[in-house]
mmCIF file of all heavy atoms in Angstrom:
data_model
loop_
_atom_site.group_PDB
_atom_site.id
_atom_site.type_symbol
_atom_site.label_atom_id
_atom_site.label_comp_id
_atom_site.label_asym_id
_atom_site.label_seq_id
_atom_site.Cartn_x
_atom_site.Cartn_y
_atom_site.Cartn_z
ATOM 1 N N LEU A 1 -10.592 -64.208 -10.047
ATOM 2 C CA LEU A 1 -10.102 -64.902 -8.856
ATOM 3 C C LEU A 1 -10.506 -66.373 -8.860
ATOM 4 O O LEU A 1 -9.731 -67.248 -8.460
ATOM 5 C CB LEU A 1 -10.623 -64.214 -7.588
ATOM 6 C CG LEU A 1 -10.059 -62.826 -7.310
ATOM 7 C CD1 LEU A 1 -10.832 -62.147 -6.195
ATOM 8 C CD2 LEU A 1 -8.578 -62.911 -6.975
ATOM 9 N N TRP A 2 -11.731 -66.647 -9.309
ATOM 10 C CA TRP A 2 -12.203 -68.030 -9.410
ATOM 11 C C TRP A 2 -11.346 -68.812 -10.404
ATOM 12 O O TRP A 2 -10.939 -69.947 -10.142
ATOM 13 C CB TRP A 2 -13.677 -68.038 -9.809
ATOM 14 C CG TRP A 2 -14.239 -69.392 -10.106
ATOM 15 C CD1 TRP A 2 -14.711 -69.825 -11.300
ATOM 16 C CD2 TRP A 2 -14.404 -70.486 -9.193
ATOM 17 N NE1 TRP A 2 -15.153 -71.128 -11.193
ATOM 18 C CE2 TRP A 2 -14.978 -71.554 -9.914
ATOM 19 C CE3 TRP A 2 -14.119 -70.668 -7.854
ATOM 20 C CZ2 TRP A 2 -15.276 -72.777 -9.325
ATOM 21 C CZ3 TRP A 2 -14.415 -71.891 -7.270
ATOM 22 C CH2 TRP A 2 -14.981 -72.929 -8.006
ATOM 23 N N TRP A 3 -11.074 -68.209 -11.556
ATOM 24 C CA TRP A 3 -10.255 -68.854 -12.588
ATOM 25 C C TRP A 3 -8.861 -69.170 -12.031
ATOM 26 O O TRP A 3 -8.347 -70.283 -12.227
ATOM 27 C CB TRP A 3 -10.141 -67.948 -13.805
ATOM 28 C CG TRP A 3 -9.384 -68.565 -14.932
ATOM 29 C CD1 TRP A 3 -8.043 -68.475 -15.173
ATOM 30 C CD2 TRP A 3 -9.914 -69.408 -15.947
ATOM 31 N NE1 TRP A 3 -7.701 -69.188 -16.275
ATOM 32 C CE2 TRP A 3 -8.843 -69.777 -16.781
ATOM 33 C CE3 TRP A 3 -11.180 -69.879 -16.244
ATOM 34 C CZ2 TRP A 3 -8.995 -70.587 -17.881
ATOM 35 C CZ3 TRP A 3 -11.336 -70.693 -17.359
ATOM 36 C CH2 TRP A 3 -10.259 -71.041 -18.163
ATOM 37 N N GLU A 4 -8.261 -68.216 -11.332
ATOM 38 C CA GLU A 4 -6.936 -68.424 -10.747
ATOM 39 C C GLU A 4 -6.960 -69.542 -9.705
ATOM 40 O O GLU A 4 -6.071 -70.388 -9.671
ATOM 41 C CB GLU A 4 -6.423 -67.128 -10.109
ATOM 42 C CG GLU A 4 -6.084 -66.060 -11.123
ATOM 43 C CD GLU A 4 -5.821 -64.696 -10.496
ATOM 44 O OE1 GLU A 4 -5.868 -64.572 -9.244
ATOM 45 O OE2 GLU A 4 -5.583 -63.746 -11.256
ATOM 46 N N TYR A 5 -8.008 -69.539 -8.880
ATOM 47 C CA TYR A 5 -8.153 -70.577 -7.862
ATOM 48 C C TYR A 5 -8.276 -71.957 -8.521
ATOM 49 O O TYR A 5 -7.608 -72.911 -8.114
ATOM 50 C CB TYR A 5 -9.372 -70.285 -6.984
ATOM 51 C CG TYR A 5 -9.713 -71.403 -6.046
ATOM 52 C CD1 TYR A 5 -9.043 -71.543 -4.832
ATOM 53 C CD2 TYR A 5 -10.692 -72.341 -6.378
ATOM 54 C CE1 TYR A 5 -9.346 -72.595 -3.976
ATOM 55 C CE2 TYR A 5 -11.001 -73.383 -5.523
ATOM 56 C CZ TYR A 5 -10.319 -73.510 -4.331
ATOM 57 O OH TYR A 5 -10.607 -74.550 -3.488
ATOM 58 N N CYS A 6 -9.138 -72.062 -9.529
ATOM 59 C CA CYS A 6 -9.342 -73.367 -10.207
ATOM 60 C C CYS A 6 -8.076 -73.844 -10.896
ATOM 61 O O CYS A 6 -7.751 -75.036 -10.851
ATOM 62 C CB CYS A 6 -10.487 -73.238 -11.213
ATOM 63 S SG CYS A 6 -12.103 -73.051 -10.438
ATOM 64 N N SER A 7 -7.350 -72.929 -11.516
ATOM 65 C CA SER A 7 -6.096 -73.300 -12.179
ATOM 66 C C SER A 7 -5.067 -73.790 -11.171
ATOM 67 O O SER A 7 -4.388 -74.790 -11.400
ATOM 68 C CB SER A 7 -5.524 -72.100 -12.942
ATOM 69 O OG SER A 7 -6.409 -71.707 -13.946
ATOM 70 N N ARG A 8 -4.959 -73.100 -10.060
ATOM 71 C CA ARG A 8 -3.978 -73.442 -9.034
ATOM 72 C C ARG A 8 -4.303 -74.773 -8.344
ATOM 73 O O ARG A 8 -3.434 -75.581 -8.081
ATOM 74 C CB ARG A 8 -3.896 -72.309 -8.017
ATOM 75 C CG ARG A 8 -2.829 -72.487 -6.962
ATOM 76 C CD ARG A 8 -2.818 -71.390 -5.917
ATOM 77 N NE ARG A 8 -4.072 -71.397 -5.163
ATOM 78 C CZ ARG A 8 -4.947 -70.398 -5.151
ATOM 79 N NH1 ARG A 8 -4.722 -69.298 -5.841
ATOM 80 N NH2 ARG A 8 -6.062 -70.490 -4.463
ATOM 81 N N ASP A 9 -5.607 -75.003 -8.063
ATOM 82 C CA ASP A 9 -6.008 -76.186 -7.301
ATOM 83 C C ASP A 9 -6.578 -77.313 -8.168
ATOM 84 O O ASP A 9 -7.147 -78.265 -7.638
ATOM 85 C CB ASP A 9 -7.029 -75.794 -6.229
ATOM 86 C CG ASP A 9 -6.397 -75.006 -5.107
ATOM 87 O OD1 ASP A 9 -5.236 -74.591 -5.229
ATOM 88 O OD2 ASP A 9 -7.075 -74.799 -4.082
ATOM 89 N N ASP A 10 -6.436 -77.173 -9.488
ATOM 90 C CA ASP A 10 -6.895 -78.188 -10.434
ATOM 91 C C ASP A 10 -8.380 -78.520 -10.241
ATOM 92 O O ASP A 10 -8.767 -79.681 -10.072
ATOM 93 C CB ASP A 10 -6.038 -79.449 -10.320
ATOM 94 C CG ASP A 10 -6.187 -80.350 -11.530
ATOM 95 O OD1 ASP A 10 -6.468 -79.830 -12.634
ATOM 96 O OD2 ASP A 10 -6.057 -81.584 -11.375
ATOM 97 N N VAL A 11 -9.206 -77.471 -10.233
ATOM 98 C CA VAL A 11 -10.661 -77.602 -10.091
ATOM 99 C C VAL A 11 -11.301 -77.254 -11.427
ATOM 100 O O VAL A 11 -10.880 -76.308 -12.098
ATOM 101 C CB VAL A 11 -11.175 -76.636 -8.979
ATOM 102 C CG1 VAL A 11 -12.685 -76.620 -8.923
ATOM 103 C CG2 VAL A 11 -10.573 -77.004 -7.641
ATOM 104 N N ASN A 12 -12.314 -78.016 -11.824
ATOM 105 C CA ASN A 12 -13.043 -77.709 -13.053
ATOM 106 C C ASN A 12 -13.808 -76.397 -12.850
ATOM 107 O O ASN A 12 -14.617 -76.278 -11.931
ATOM 108 C CB ASN A 12 -13.999 -78.843 -13.403
ATOM 109 C CG ASN A 12 -14.661 -78.616 -14.745
ATOM 110 O OD1 ASN A 12 -15.197 -77.551 -15.029
ATOM 111 N ND2 ASN A 12 -14.620 -79.633 -15.586
ATOM 112 N N VAL A 13 -13.563 -75.423 -13.715
ATOM 113 C CA VAL A 13 -14.143 -74.073 -13.586
ATOM 114 C C VAL A 13 -15.664 -74.107 -13.644
ATOM 115 O O VAL A 13 -16.329 -73.370 -12.903
ATOM 116 C CB VAL A 13 -13.592 -73.148 -14.698
ATOM 117 C CG1 VAL A 13 -14.266 -71.790 -14.666
ATOM 118 C CG2 VAL A 13 -12.087 -72.999 -14.580
ATOM 119 N N PHE A 14 -16.217 -74.950 -14.494
ATOM 120 C CA PHE A 14 -17.662 -74.928 -14.745
ATOM 121 C C PHE A 14 -18.462 -75.988 -13.992
ATOM 122 O O PHE A 14 -19.680 -75.887 -13.900
ATOM 123 C CB PHE A 14 -17.927 -75.054 -16.256
ATOM 124 C CG PHE A 14 -17.313 -73.938 -17.041
ATOM 125 C CD1 PHE A 14 -16.179 -74.143 -17.801
ATOM 126 C CD2 PHE A 14 -17.856 -72.657 -16.991
ATOM 127 C CE1 PHE A 14 -15.605 -73.100 -18.524
ATOM 128 C CE2 PHE A 14 -17.293 -71.615 -17.702
ATOM 129 C CZ PHE A 14 -16.157 -71.838 -18.468
ATOM 130 N N THR A 15 -17.800 -77.010 -13.461
ATOM 131 C CA THR A 15 -18.516 -78.043 -12.702
ATOM 132 C C THR A 15 -17.762 -78.398 -11.423
ATOM 133 O O THR A 15 -17.380 -79.558 -11.225
ATOM 134 C CB THR A 15 -18.729 -79.311 -13.566
ATOM 135 O OG1 THR A 15 -17.444 -79.773 -14.007
ATOM 136 C CG2 THR A 15 -19.651 -79.055 -14.739
ATOM 137 N N PRO A 16 -17.574 -77.440 -10.550
ATOM 138 C CA PRO A 16 -16.855 -77.721 -9.314
ATOM 139 C C PRO A 16 -17.772 -78.374 -8.292
ATOM 140 O O PRO A 16 -18.997 -78.312 -8.395
ATOM 141 C CB PRO A 16 -16.436 -76.338 -8.837
ATOM 142 C CG PRO A 16 -17.574 -75.476 -9.286
ATOM 143 C CD PRO A 16 -17.989 -76.039 -10.625
ATOM 144 N N SER A 17 -17.180 -78.945 -7.295
ATOM 145 C CA SER A 17 -17.972 -79.442 -6.168
ATOM 146 C C SER A 17 -18.313 -78.244 -5.281
ATOM 147 O O SER A 17 -17.658 -77.202 -5.336
ATOM 148 C CB SER A 17 -17.174 -80.474 -5.375
ATOM 149 O OG SER A 17 -16.053 -79.855 -4.775
ATOM 150 N N VAL A 18 -19.331 -78.410 -4.466
ATOM 151 C CA VAL A 18 -19.709 -77.348 -3.525
ATOM 152 C C VAL A 18 -18.555 -77.093 -2.567
ATOM 153 O O VAL A 18 -18.268 -75.949 -2.209
ATOM 154 C CB VAL A 18 -21.002 -77.716 -2.766
ATOM 155 C CG1 VAL A 18 -21.295 -76.703 -1.671
ATOM 156 C CG2 VAL A 18 -22.174 -77.808 -3.731
ATOM 157 N N SER A 19 -17.850 -78.148 -2.179
ATOM 158 C CA SER A 19 -16.723 -77.964 -1.263
ATOM 159 C C SER A 19 -15.606 -77.135 -1.903
ATOM 160 O O SER A 19 -14.932 -76.369 -1.211
ATOM 161 C CB SER A 19 -16.192 -79.300 -0.761
ATOM 162 O OG SER A 19 -15.723 -80.073 -1.823
ATOM 163 N N SER A 20 -15.437 -77.239 -3.225
ATOM 164 C CA SER A 20 -14.445 -76.404 -3.914
ATOM 165 C C SER A 20 -14.868 -74.936 -3.897
ATOM 166 O O SER A 20 -14.042 -74.045 -3.687
ATOM 167 C CB SER A 20 -14.269 -76.859 -5.362
ATOM 168 O OG SER A 20 -13.697 -78.130 -5.414
ATOM 169 N N VAL A 21 -16.151 -74.688 -4.107
ATOM 170 C CA VAL A 21 -16.659 -73.317 -4.056
ATOM 171 C C VAL A 21 -16.481 -72.755 -2.651
ATOM 172 O O VAL A 21 -16.028 -71.621 -2.460
ATOM 173 C CB VAL A 21 -18.140 -73.246 -4.499
ATOM 174 C CG1 VAL A 21 -18.696 -71.841 -4.304
ATOM 175 C CG2 VAL A 21 -18.288 -73.673 -5.952
ATOM 176 N N LEU A 22 -16.809 -73.555 -1.646
ATOM 177 C CA LEU A 22 -16.637 -73.113 -0.260
ATOM 178 C C LEU A 22 -15.166 -72.875 0.077
ATOM 179 O O LEU A 22 -14.833 -71.928 0.797
ATOM 180 C CB LEU A 22 -17.238 -74.136 0.695
ATOM 181 C CG LEU A 22 -18.762 -74.182 0.724
ATOM 182 C CD1 LEU A 22 -19.243 -75.381 1.522
ATOM 183 C CD2 LEU A 22 -19.330 -72.895 1.286
ATOM 184 N N SER A 23 -14.306 -73.697 -0.444
ATOM 185 C CA SER A 23 -12.873 -73.528 -0.226
ATOM 186 C C SER A 23 -12.399 -72.211 -0.841
ATOM 187 O O SER A 23 -11.624 -71.466 -0.227
ATOM 188 C CB SER A 23 -12.122 -74.707 -0.820
ATOM 189 O OG SER A 23 -10.747 -74.552 -0.657
ATOM 190 N N PHE A 24 -12.867 -71.918 -2.036
ATOM 191 C CA PHE A 24 -12.536 -70.648 -2.702
ATOM 192 C C PHE A 24 -13.029 -69.456 -1.880
ATOM 193 O O PHE A 24 -12.287 -68.508 -1.627
ATOM 194 C CB PHE A 24 -13.154 -70.625 -4.105
ATOM 195 C CG PHE A 24 -13.195 -69.256 -4.725
ATOM 196 C CD1 PHE A 24 -12.044 -68.647 -5.197
ATOM 197 C CD2 PHE A 24 -14.400 -68.574 -4.835
ATOM 198 C CE1 PHE A 24 -12.081 -67.378 -5.766
ATOM 199 C CE2 PHE A 24 -14.451 -67.313 -5.410
ATOM 200 C CZ PHE A 24 -13.293 -66.710 -5.869
ATOM 201 N N LEU A 25 -14.294 -69.514 -1.453
ATOM 202 C CA LEU A 25 -14.865 -68.406 -0.687
ATOM 203 C C LEU A 25 -14.159 -68.239 0.658
ATOM 204 O O LEU A 25 -13.921 -67.111 1.107
ATOM 205 C CB LEU A 25 -16.363 -68.624 -0.489
ATOM 206 C CG LEU A 25 -17.220 -68.540 -1.753
ATOM 207 C CD1 LEU A 25 -18.645 -69.003 -1.467
ATOM 208 C CD2 LEU A 25 -17.203 -67.137 -2.329
ATOM 209 N N THR A 26 -13.788 -69.343 1.281
ATOM 210 C CA THR A 26 -13.062 -69.282 2.551
ATOM 211 C C THR A 26 -11.688 -68.656 2.346
ATOM 212 O O THR A 26 -11.239 -67.834 3.142
ATOM 213 C CB THR A 26 -12.920 -70.684 3.163
ATOM 214 O OG1 THR A 26 -14.219 -71.240 3.346
ATOM 215 C CG2 THR A 26 -12.193 -70.648 4.480
#
């Protein structure tokens, strides 16, 4: 799910921002 989220939202899988992680969890 994380991989799909990062691919869709153009987020670096291994060095995301905390806000990207929170966005994924939300």
Side-chain angles (χ1 to χ4, degrees):
L1 291 169
W2 173 244
W3 183 269
E4 291 169 2
Y5 171 82
C6 290
S7 297
R8 185 183 63 243
D9 289 10
D10 197 29
V11 173
N12 186 310
V13 175
F14 300 106
T15 57
S17 65
V18 173
S19 62
S20 293
V21 174
L22 287 170
S23 178
F24 165 73
L25 292 170
T26 302

